[in-house]
C-alpha cells in the first residue's frame, strides 16, 4: 500500500509536468512527490575501503538513488572505514546510534553470536541465488530481523559477491594432512573449521596480506575473487589459486539501519530506501559476474596456477562443519532456530539446483 501511494504521487507529478510542457521529468515530479516532506541527513559508515570499488560502489548506488528519488531531501553521506569508526565496528556504531546506518557483512560479528553468520554466509551454505530466495521469498528476512532486533537493527540486502575463491597458496595442498600446520589468513566460521582440521588461522587486514605472504609469515590467504584479488598482487608471492571458497558460497552484504531512526522516517522515504537497496544489491552481483571472468583471464596470463580443492579436503571440511553446527544448535537458541529453517531450505534448493542448473552447467563446461 505504501508503494502504491508513493507511485501514485509520482505519477501525478509526471502528469503535471507533461501538461506544463516541462522537458525534465525529475523536475516536474519533485514538487508533487516531495511537497511537505522533511529534509533528512543520515550518515552511513562502511566496512569497505573506497579502493574496493565494487563493494563500496553498492553504498554509493544506494545513497545516489535515494537522493534522486526524494529530490535530494533524504541525503545519505558515506564514510569510509576509520572516518567515524573502524571497519569492523560499523554495526556497533549503528546499534548505539552513533550513525544511522552502515554497509557491512553480518558474519564479521560472529564474535557476538555465531548466528550473525547466517546473514552473510556459513560454510557449505547457500549460493547467491539461493540466499536471495531464502531471504526474499522464504523465511530468511523474518528470521534474521527477529535476531537483529536484539541488537536494535533492521537489515536490507546490499549486495552479494557470488561464490568466492578458496585463496592463494605458496605451495600445493592435496590431502587433509597438508592442512595441518597451514598458516592461513581467514576468519569466522571458515577459520574455525580449518582450525579443527589442523590449520592455524590468522586474522589480517587486506593491506597486510601481501607482505605476510611474501615474508612467509603466512602460507596462504583468502580474500574475495579474481577482480578484487588481482588488485592486491597476491599472485606474485603465492602462485596457486584454489577454488571454491566453500566457506563463502554466496556472501550477502547488508545495509543495517538503527531501528529508532528507521521508524521515524516518512513512509515515502522508507519506500525509496527499500527500492534503492534492492537495486544496489542486484548491481553488486552483476558487476562481479561481469568483472571476475576478465580478471581471472588476466591472472592466468600472469602464470597463476588454478587449482581445485580435492574431494578429500572438501568432504572433511563438510563433515567438520556439520559437527560444529550441531554443537552450536545444542547450546545457542538463536542459532538453532535459524539453522533449522536454513538447513531445510538448503536441502530443498540443492535438490532442485542439482536437476536443471547443475546439468546445464556440466554440459556447457564440456563444450566450452
Amino acid at each position: 500500500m505504501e508503494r502504491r501511494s508513493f507511485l501514485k504521487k509520482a505519477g501525478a507529478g509526471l502528469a503535471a509536468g507533461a501538461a506544463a510542457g516541462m522537458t525534465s521529468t525529475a523536475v516536474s515530479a519533485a514538487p508533487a512527490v516531495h511537497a511537505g516532506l522533511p529534509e533528512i541527513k543520515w550518515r552511513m559508515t562502511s566496512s569497505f575501503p573506497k579502493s574496493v570499488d565494487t563493494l563500496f560502489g553498492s553504498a554509493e548506488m544506494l545513497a545516489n538513488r535515494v537522493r534522486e528519488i526524494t529530490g535530494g531531501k533524504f541525503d545519505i553521506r558515506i564514510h569510509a572505514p576509520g572516518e567515524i569508526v573502524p571497519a569492523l565496528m560499523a554495526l556497533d556504531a549503528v546499534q548505539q546510534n552513533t550513525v544511522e546506518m552502515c554497509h557491512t557483512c553480518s558474519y564479521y560479528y560472529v564474535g557476538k553470536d555465531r548466528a550473525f553468520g547466517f546473514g552473510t554466509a556459513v560454510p557449505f551454505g547457500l549460493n547467491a541465488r539461493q540466499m536471495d530466495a531464502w531471504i526474499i521469498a522464504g523465511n530468511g528476512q523474518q528470521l534474521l530481523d527477529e535476531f537483529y532486533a536484539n541488537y536494535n537493527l533492521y537489515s536490507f540486502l546490499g549486495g552479494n559477491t557470488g561464490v568466492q575463491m578458496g585463496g592463494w597458496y605458496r605451495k600445493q595442498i592435496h590431502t587433509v594432512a597438508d592442512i595441518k600446520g597451514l598458516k592461513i589468513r581467514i576468519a569466522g566460521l571458515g577459520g574455525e573449521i580449518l582450525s579443527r582440521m589442523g590449520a592455524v588461522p590468522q586474522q589480517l587486514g587486506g593491506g597486510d596480506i601481501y607482505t605476510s605472504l611474501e615474508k612467509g609469515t603466512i602460507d596462504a590467504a583468502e580474500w574475495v575473487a579474481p577482480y578484487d584479488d588481482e588488485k592486491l598482487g597476491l599472485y606474485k608471492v603465492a602462485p596457486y589459486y584454489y577454488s571454491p571458497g566453500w566457506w563463502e558460497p554466496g556472501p550477502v552484504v547488508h545495509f543495517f539501519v538503527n531501528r529508532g531512526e528507521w521508524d521515524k522516517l516518512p513512509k515515502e522515504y522508507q519506500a525509496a530506501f527499500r527500492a534503492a537497496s534492492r537495486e544496489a544489491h542486484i548491481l553488486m552481483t552483476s558487476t562481479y559476474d561481469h568483472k571476475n571472468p576478465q580478471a581471472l583471464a588476466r591472472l592466468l596470463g600472469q602464470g597463476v596456477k588454478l587449482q581445485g580443492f580435492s574431494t578429500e579436503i572438501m568432504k572433511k571440511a563438510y563433515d567438520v562443519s556439520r559437527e560444529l553446527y550441531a554443537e552450536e544448535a545444542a547450546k545457542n537458541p538463536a542459532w538453532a532456530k535459524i539453522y533449522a529453517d536454513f538447513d531445510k531450505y538448503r536441502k530443498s534448493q540443492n535438490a532442485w539446483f542439482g536437476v536443471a542448473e547443475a546439468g546445464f552447467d556440466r554440459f556447457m563446461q564440456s563444450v566450452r
Side-chain angles (χ1 to χ4, degrees), residues 69-89:
I69 295 170
T70 64
K73 286 196 168 186
F74 187 6
D75 184 24
I76 301 172
R77 296 295 172 174
I78 310 166
H79 295 269
E83 292 182 1
I84 299 177
V85 295
L88 301 185
M89 290 186 64

Side-chain angles (χ1 to χ4, degrees), residues 117-141:
F118 289 112
T120 297
V122 295
F124 298 103
L126 302 173
N127 66 26
R129 282 180 56 193
Q130 292 167 347
M131 281 293 286
D132 279 356
W134 180 60
I135 292 173
I136 296 171
N139 297 323
Q141 187 69 61

Side-chain angles (χ1 to χ4, degrees), residues 61-111:
M61 161 66 84
L62 174 112
N64 290 336
R65 291 293 286 136
V66 166
R67 276 192 291 270
E68 182 180 9
I69 295 170
T70 64
K73 286 196 168 186
F74 187 6
D75 184 24
I76 301 172
R77 296 295 172 174
I78 310 166
H79 295 269
E83 292 182 1
I84 299 177
V85 295
L88 301 185
M89 290 186 64
L91 185 138
D92 301 81
V94 179
Q95 180 185 353
Q96 297 161 11
N97 206 18
T98 302
V99 294
E100 291 82 7
M101 65 172 296
C102 71
H103 190 218
T104 190
C105 290
S106 181
Y107 68 178
Y108 290 160
Y109 307 95
V110 293

